[in-house]
Amino acid sequence: MESAAVPDFLDTGVVIGHLVMQDVHARAVRQYFADKVIRRHSSERVLAEAKQVLDRSRGVISGFLNEFESRAGSRVRRSPDYARAIQAAAMDYIRSDNLDDRQRAQLLGFVRTRMEELRNALLGQAEALEQLRIQVMMDFSAAGNNLLLFFDAGKGLAALYRPGPFAGRDAWRARLRAIVPNPNDVEVLMDAGQLVAEARFGAIRFVTTDRKDIGDRSGAIRGVIPVLAVLCLN
Amino acid sequence: MNAKPEEIIVRILDINRKIRGHPQDVTRTYFHKILYLLHCNKKLGLQASLPFYWYKYGPFSDVVDSAIRSAVDGGKIEEIRPSSDLEAYRLKTIPRNTIPAPIDGSLLSLLRKWNPYRTPDLIRHVYKECAPWPFYPAYKLDFLDRIGDLAGETGEDRFSTLEPFTGLLPDSRLKPHLASLMRAEGARPKEPQMEHFNSLFLGFSGASARLMTAVLAGKLSVSEMRDVYRTGTDVWDTFTSGARSLPRGRDREYDKCSGPWNEDFQNRLSHLEDEIGHYIDHTDEILTPLAERAGYSSTTTMAAVLAPYMK
């Protein structure tokens, strides 16, 4: 990927994408980070959102494991086809807890990856679920530490920006709300716009993986904050 | 069928004296838990005269508290202080009044089953079998109390380690607590009024798990668990404040308190939001140099779970 003349501002999906670089889904993000020359920035809001993504994802799995242990487990144990029964237990949980599409995909991804441990738990290895819980907590802790490295005081991949008061924010907010449906996206886009104004960059490139809310609306967004170019990696 | 709570209090001490012989002391906690189990027996019809709500130490009743005070003031029982933080009571005069036979029979079987000198067993039973939310035993008994013990903040001081002589060592005692924390996460209350609490709790547990993982790896001292315990205690206080503000956490007789209790919950939530923010910042400060030394790490769980965020 050719390096940009202007610095970049990273959206939450890009940050999260870096945490899962080994996965095929992260190919576009991996290519993007292969370019070492780009000056990358992001805001504290993005870091907080990335942490919440980790917390919520872990919350979905912890809820499922409790349910699996208390109820689904006994039903699944009677089934001759463990894999199918475990997936059915996950689907039951998705329905009973009204998980959205993303949480649904997360849980099914987790079940697929950890099928062996779940199966062992069903086969009566009492310690299997305990060990799985420990492993999941440690995995998420590792991801949280990766986030710290990502933003660590200039040594990481992106410098962290703390937005201050800026005159143009309210006007941007009102008009961006009419374009971007997600309030968090509005705030993060404004962080990027404000960074340009305060750091006198002249312009900045907003890098995102959000095609639906931001990528497809890049023209309209630029109409509100002209100093912002949008690069969608998906 | 009716019996004054004060008469039941006195009868508990009387039965206990007969069962166990020597004058025995009974703690305030024991009274609350035994009377709560009695109240749960719907056939006895004590729900209205003996109302309870769930709070910091499990089921609590103002009626029980005032019945204890009244029995002390009336010279029927006496208060003794085995230690500065323990309130216990002893029978002063043998009661003349009797209480209805079904209540007396239930009391007798409860006291036979639950020895007042083994209150933790009774507390665990009440939390596990009767709590309106599984979060009660999962968080308080299986995580917070154990972290408190480990950090030397409660119970037996097991905080003495060889660290001053050997340097930091991997501490495998924390492993089951990590699993307990995750179990508590999965037992978060589902009520919409608890949504904000749940999101703060996930922030707390995520930061705590990172600290615990570093202690497990021998990169941090187990003394860091004191912060987990102290913040975790405020998390608990906030949760229990929310628990009593919800109809599920109290008997109808306490509905009149719902306004002030809800206000208290909202205030605590706002305070907890600031506290968790500082806790996470503090955790990040401690862990950043360690993360720098360790570098990036990747796991298959993360790839599977976070991949949907890339689409």
Side-chain angles (χ1 to χ4, degrees), chain B residues 6-309:
Chain B
E6 185 187 329
E7 289 170 346
I8 303 177
I9 293 286
V10 175
R11 182 64 181 143
I12 287 175
L13 286 168
D14 191 30
I15 294 174
N16 190 48
R17 178 183 63 90
K18 286 174 181 162
I19 293 176
R20 298 186 173 85
H22 194 69
Q24 298 279 335
D25 310 329
V26 164
T27 61
R28 198 160 152 260
T29 304
Y30 185 80
F31 279 133
H32 270 94
K33 301 300 176 273
I34 288 291
L35 264 75
Y36 179 73
L37 291 176
L38 208 60
H39 145 284
C40 287
N41 184 347
K42 294 214 164 40
K43 287 180 195 160
L44 300 177
L46 291 169
Q47 279 76 26
S49 60
L50 207 52
F52 277 84
Y53 62 89
W54 280 76
Y55 199 42
K56 292 180 193 178
Y57 303 103
F60 180 83
S61 174
D62 295 321
V63 174
V64 174
D65 243 20
S66 68
I68 296 171
R69 269 198 307 275
S70 154
V72 171
D73 294 345
K76 295 171 186 165
I77 65 174
E78 64 179 323
E79 183 179 328
I80 50 170
R81 287 270 183 174
S83 65
S84 61
D85 57 348
L86 195 62
E87 293 169 37
Y89 300 87
R90 184 176 289 176
L91 194 64
K92 209 169 170 189
T93 53
I94 307 295
R96 289 181 194 162
N97 296 348
T98 54
I99 57 175
I103 298 177
D104 207 44
S106 295
L107 263 187
L108 190 61
S109 70
L110 282 172
L111 265 74
R112 279 201 177 116
K113 187 169 181 187
W114 302 109
N115 187 328
Y117 281 1
R118 292 202 196 110
T119 316
D121 294 343
L122 172 61
I123 292 174
R124 177 162 287 276
H125 169 78
V126 169
Y127 273 55
K128 288 269 182 196
E129 301 303 324
C130 314
W133 291 275
F135 187 78
Y136 257 94
Y139 180 68
K140 179 65 163 57
L141 302 185
D142 295 339
F143 176 72
L144 189 61
D145 285 355
R146 289 177 185 184
I147 289 292
D149 287 348
L150 188 75
E153 296 272 343
T154 59
E156 187 189 350
D157 187 353
R158 284 183 271 151
F159 187 53
S160 52
T161 74
L162 292 175
E163 280 177 2
F165 311 102
T166 60
L168 296 178
L169 290 169
D171 197 330
S172 60
R173 288 178 300 173
L174 274 179
K175 271 197 174 179
H177 303 328
L178 210 49
S180 299
L181 183 57
M182 190 171 193
R183 201 176 279 111
E185 265 190 10
R188 297 183 315 277
K190 292 186 192 298
E191 281 83 354
Q193 295 93 323
M194 291 301 228
E195 205 172 303
H196 189 192
F197 169 80
N198 284 340
S199 128
L200 296 177
F201 181 72
L202 285 172
F204 163 75
S205 59
S208 302
R210 288 194 292 132
L211 279 176
M212 291 163 77
T213 304
V215 175
L216 263 171
K219 293 175 182 170
L220 272 185
S221 166
V222 72
S223 65
E224 298 297 340
M225 290 303 99
R226 282 187 176 147
D227 277 344
V228 176
Y229 179 73
R230 283 168 193 166
T231 308
T233 301
D234 289 336
V235 167
W236 177 244
D237 290 349
T238 306
F239 165 73
T240 55
S241 165
R244 70 175 183 174
S245 76
L246 294 172
R248 191 173 167 190
R250 61 170 191 257
D251 283 329
R252 243 182 288 166
E253 284 68 22
Y254 283 107
D255 282 356
K256 57 184 181 296
C257 305
S258 67
W261 282 355
N262 189 48
E263 200 176 315
D264 175 68
F265 177 45
Q266 297 309 324
N267 288 338
R268 282 177 190 270
L269 267 181
S270 160
H271 174 75
L272 187 68
E273 185 169 7
D274 291 343
E275 190 179 351
I276 298 287
H278 290 135
Y279 177 67
I280 293 173
D281 289 347
H282 173 66
T283 306
D284 287 354
E285 276 169 29
I286 294 173
L287 293 174
T288 299
L290 303 179
E292 271 175 13
R293 282 202 288 275
Y296 283 99
S297 60
S298 59
T299 68
T300 49
T301 301
M302 297 316 305
V305 172
L306 293 181
Y309 273 88

Side-chain angles (χ1 to χ4, degrees), chain A residues 51 58 139 146 152 234, chain B residues 183 185 284 292 297 301 310:
Chain A
K51 284 178 179 169
R58 202 181 60 246
D139 286 353
N146 285 355
D152 178 30
N234 280 355
Chain B
R183 201 176 279 111
E185 265 190 10
D284 287 354
E292 271 175 13
S297 60
T301 301
M310 302 296 304

Side-chain angles (χ1 to χ4, degrees), chain A:
Chain A
M1 184 177 292
E2 195 178 316
S3 64
V6 294
D8 282 358
F9 185 98
L10 307 182
D11 194 12
T12 311
V14 181
V15 176
I16 293 293
H18 188 266
L19 303 189
V20 286
M21 293 271 275
Q22 80 276 29
D23 189 81
V24 286
H25 296 290
R27 192 170 58 201
V29 176
R30 190 164 47 214
Q31 283 174 353
Y32 168 76
F33 279 104
D35 190 336
K36 309 279 186 206
V37 194
I38 303 172
R39 282 180 297 152
R40 299 184 177 96
H41 300 260
S42 197
S43 67
E44 289 189 340
R45 209 184 309 273
V46 167
L47 172 58
E49 198 177 354
K51 284 178 179 169
Q52 282 167 12
V53 167
L54 294 182
D55 289 340
R56 282 195 304 262
S57 307
R58 202 181 60 246
V60 168
I61 294 167
S62 55
F64 168 70
L65 289 180
N66 279 23
E67 187 75 9
F68 185 76
E69 188 172 38
S70 67
R71 257 175 273 168
S74 58
R75 198 194 70 187
V76 174
R77 202 171 287 127
R78 291 194 294 271
S79 169
D81 185 343
Y82 286 116
R84 185 175 291 181
I86 289 168
Q87 272 167 349
M91 291 307 294
D92 284 351
Y93 183 72
I94 287 164
R95 274 190 291 273
S96 69
D97 247 48
N98 287 321
L99 299 190
D100 62 29
D101 287 349
R102 190 174 273 172
Q103 291 170 322
R104 176 183 189 276
Q106 286 183 310
L107 181 56
L108 293 178
F110 170 77
V111 165
R112 207 169 36 247
T113 320
R114 296 294 184 179
M115 182 62 80
E116 190 70 14
E117 288 95 330
L118 292 169
R119 194 181 66 95
N120 288 344
L122 288 181
L123 291 174
Q125 295 179 16
E127 282 298 299
L129 269 186
E130 191 80 351
Q131 291 305 320
L132 181 55
R133 282 193 174 99
I134 293 167
Q135 191 55 54
V136 170
M137 286 301 248
M138 290 171 85
D139 286 353
F140 273 91
S141 296
N145 290 341
N146 285 355
L147 265 183
L148 293 181
L149 285 176
F150 193 96
F151 289 111
D152 178 30
K155 296 178 195 165
L157 287 168
L160 208 54
Y161 167 66
R162 174 178 294 189
F166 180 67
R169 285 179 69 88
D170 286 342
W172 285 349
R173 184 181 283 113
R175 291 175 62 200
L176 279 169
R177 269 187 188 147
I179 299 167
V180 185
N182 185 342
N184 284 342
D185 290 343
V186 170
E187 298 298 322
V188 171
L189 282 163
M190 289 199 310
D191 283 357
Q194 188 181 13
L195 178 60
V196 177
E198 289 188 2
R200 301 182 194 284
F201 283 151
I204 203 163
R205 197 167 62 156
F206 188 86
V207 187
T208 185
T209 54
D210 186 348
R211 166 68 58 193
K212 191 164 126 267
D213 290 345
I214 298 181
D216 289 343
R217 294 175 162 93
S218 59
I221 290 167
R222 206 179 160 89
V224 178
I225 311 180
V227 290
L228 213 67
V230 173
L231 168 66
C232 188
L233 297 178
N234 280 355

